[in-house]
Amino acid sequence: MKKIREKKVREKKVREKKERVKKINLPKLDLNNKRNNIIVTSVIGVLALVVTIVTGVQFTKFRNFNAEFYTGNVDEIQSYSKYSKYLAGTSGDAPIYILYGDNNTVAVVRASDADKYDTIDKVLEADARVVKGGVVNIDKEELDISAIAKADAATAIDEVKNGTSDIAIVTYADYRAVRDTYTDLTVAKAEIEAVPSILVMGGTHPNEPSGQLAATMFLENAKVKRGVLYVVNEVNRSAYTHSQPQEATSWYYELQTASGQTRTFKYGSRATNTVDQWPTPDVYTHSSGQQLSSSEVRNINRSYPGDEKGTYTEKLSYAITQLVLQNDITMVVDLHEASPEYITINAIVAHDDALELASDAKMWTLDDVMNIGVEVSPATLHGLTHRDLGDYTYAYVFLAETSNASQGKLRGKFSPDLITYKEKDKFYEYAKEYDEKHGTKLLYAPAADIDERVARHTFTVSALIKSFNDMGCVSRTVNVGKIGEREGRYLGKLEIEMVPGYEDIMDNGVGYYLHDLD
Amino acid sequence: MKKVITIIVSVLMIMTLAVSFAACNKDTGNGGNNGGNTDVTPSALDKTVSEAELQNIVGDGKLYATTIGQADLAVVNNLIVKAGVAAADYTSNNMLTADQVEDGSTVFIVVGASGKGLGGAGTDAAAELVRANAFQAKADKINIVCVHVGGSNRRGDTSDPTIRVIAGCSKVILVVEEGNSDDLFTGIANDNSIPLYEYSKSAKMLDSFKYLLGK
Ligand SMILES: [Zn+2]
């Protein structure tokens, strides 16, 4: 009885409300009236213009915003256009940061003589030199250590500067001490000492932030004792100038340095900006003949080895291939992320000739602190670093993946906290709990926060370096490749210090290892 | 009355336990010939293989390493070399077939499949099962050491059929524990009276490799 009464009361209220609404007399808008039509159209037009301008200004700001990086440890900055000339002046012409080892032995010459001494033989024929540091290539007996042999490095360099001698063979640290004042001196092209080198790549996909941050851990912290460190942390810089369409992603995220300074980083797109490469064909045909969907035509990691005159994206990958080839870089690590529901995650994918190194790093270093798999690069999937950069250079090439919720399809609302995963996403957490409870594999790895992801990547690179040193410091012997065979050779150790370890980053956070910027 | 029953049941349980422990020791002691349903439980984690007949199992025969599933062969190569066998002194071949192996040889077979690996090697799970069956057919003429290092990623529909074949015809099974969380390997070891060793990670297998390789 009571319920029926309540129902009637409710129905009455609804009726009354409807009547009230009816009573409001809306002014009749007759759009057939020309004047009304013009007013309405104009208002809509102005509103659209305002929205376009406001978002356009925001987007232009985003497009032009450059994340800044600390380069106090960097010895030399090159750019892509040095290796892929048609990129000059374009947004993708990214910087290549180079750090030379303190103990590398180099021949310092007058800048005008740099090309003259491009081989060791020519160096040996020169007038005077001082030997300092470990010389691997030159038999010391062969060296005509002249009167100044016992002089200190500074004196030797001074003598080159004032014309008393032509060459000073010193350590890179000795040269660095005078580099900025003696700008008319330079390092000769001849390789006085064979040293190993590594290229750390982040930002191949700007929606995979831990790759860029781990590369930045090396850029901003590394002290190279021996060897050469190359860092490219905006591999596809064009893809940093826009965002992923229809994903409603945040454009920026922030991290605090140890002193509390805020560092701002961009979250971009997986693909090259259409401003730089357009139109997009239905099918992307790679130089190998492989055909992929149009979504991959602006993906730099389907375009290796690249093409100087190809698509814009192929010009970018050509720059990387040439960088590795022309400098004979020993190892390359390309740092990526994938969504937690993707199968290849928390993994290293290695080119065939790099598989032994990757396995060694996993077994003897990485297994102690993390769960990580090693996969061989599929021979038939082309355009990826671990395939074609390996096939077209003499480097050991690796790609590593961490688990990034902001790339995934299960995620809820997007925010900078989703990027860093400092605020957990309820759907990914639900999936994780579901997997734990039911032994299923909705996720191949749970979503991880930025500290863990960067710690994994940074430590993976360090572990690969350690394995290179442990396994005899020998460059790659080419068994699988497209540019002919080559025997590995002894290069000595690659010694890079001050890079934070896994526990360091887990304990203190990534921000702690980012430098304050002036 | 209840008390009496409880005591009798307790005594019976203790006796059963004692018997099964004794049986265990016997099984892992001589690698087989256990006359009952007693379990071959894995040794405690990270133990070195200790069955006398497995020491230097290679003997004067030849040594091979391969993968059924196209994954993790590099891990076994790493262990073989670190155990003290020169790379030139054994054959590592990811597509090794049973008829390439001389009688009396020892073959380390890494089991567990990788999709990327299978695709890369231009083979598939069905073809790998054929290879596995051929090794099984020859198992009484060669020594098969079954190794699984890839954890749960190397388990499932693509991996398990070949795992069953190879593990079931091996002389000893070495497995990283995460890959045996459902006791698949334990079951195979039980059914076939094969000694099973579990490790926390692949690097912990090194001493067992040394033992098996007589180093
Ligand atoms: Zn990626």
Side-chain angles (χ1 to χ4, degrees), chain A residues 65-79:
Chain A
F65 180 87
N66 284 322
E68 277 183 74
F69 302 99
Y70 172 77
T71 54
N73 297 336
V74 173
D75 289 308
E76 187 181 343
I77 302 178
Q78 298 178 346
S79 61

Side-chain angles (χ1 to χ4, degrees), chain A residues 480-511:
Chain A
V480 176
K482 300 264 169 65
I483 53 171
E485 291 185 1
R486 195 174 91 165
E487 274 298 305
R489 64 169 178 155
Y490 177 76
L491 297 173
K493 281 192 175 175
L494 179 56
E495 294 169 7
I496 299 179
E497 297 177 353
M498 302 304 286
V499 176
Y502 183 84
E503 297 296 340
D504 296 331
I505 298 174
M506 291 297 277
D507 289 350
N508 302 317
V510 187

Side-chain angles (χ1 to χ4, degrees), chain A residues 345-375:
Chain A
I345 199 164
N346 286 351
I348 302 172
V349 186
H351 181 269
D352 312 54
D353 293 341
L355 189 60
E356 277 184 27
L357 261 184
S359 295
D360 190 81
K362 172 187 154 58
M363 294 170 67
W364 301 99
T365 312
L366 297 172
D367 273 352
D368 287 337
V369 293
M370 63 175 85
N371 226 323
I372 193 163
V374 172
E375 300 286 348

Side-chain angles (χ1 to χ4, degrees), chain A residues 342-345 349 355-356 359-360 362-364 367-368 371 373-380 386 441 444 471, chain B residues 70-72 74-79 82 114-117 119-121 149 152-154 178 201-204 206:
Chain A
Y342 180 60
I343 187 166
T344 305
I345 199 164
V349 186
L355 189 60
E356 277 184 27
S359 295
D360 190 81
K362 172 187 154 58
M363 294 170 67
W364 301 99
D367 273 352
D368 287 337
N371 226 323
V374 172
E375 300 286 348
V376 67
S377 170
T380 47
H386 55 70
K441 278 220 162 179
Y444 284 92
M471 292 182 82
Chain B
Q70 301 305 315
D72 307 321
V75 172
V76 162
N77 284 330
N78 188 297
L79 287 165
K82 276 215 164 62
S114 153
K116 277 188 161 66
V149 294
S152 53
N153 286 344
R154 306 276 193 249
E178 199 232 333
K201 52 178 192 157
S202 58
K204 296 282 186 189
L206 182 58

Side-chain angles (χ1 to χ4, degrees), chain A residues 26 70 72 165 211 279 286 345 362 404 428 451 476 478 486 518:
Chain A
L26 283 168
Y70 172 77
S165 68
H286 180 260
I345 199 164
K362 172 187 154 58
N404 171 20
Y428 273 111
D451 296 332
R476 171 180 160 203
V478 177
R486 195 174 91 165
D518 308 322

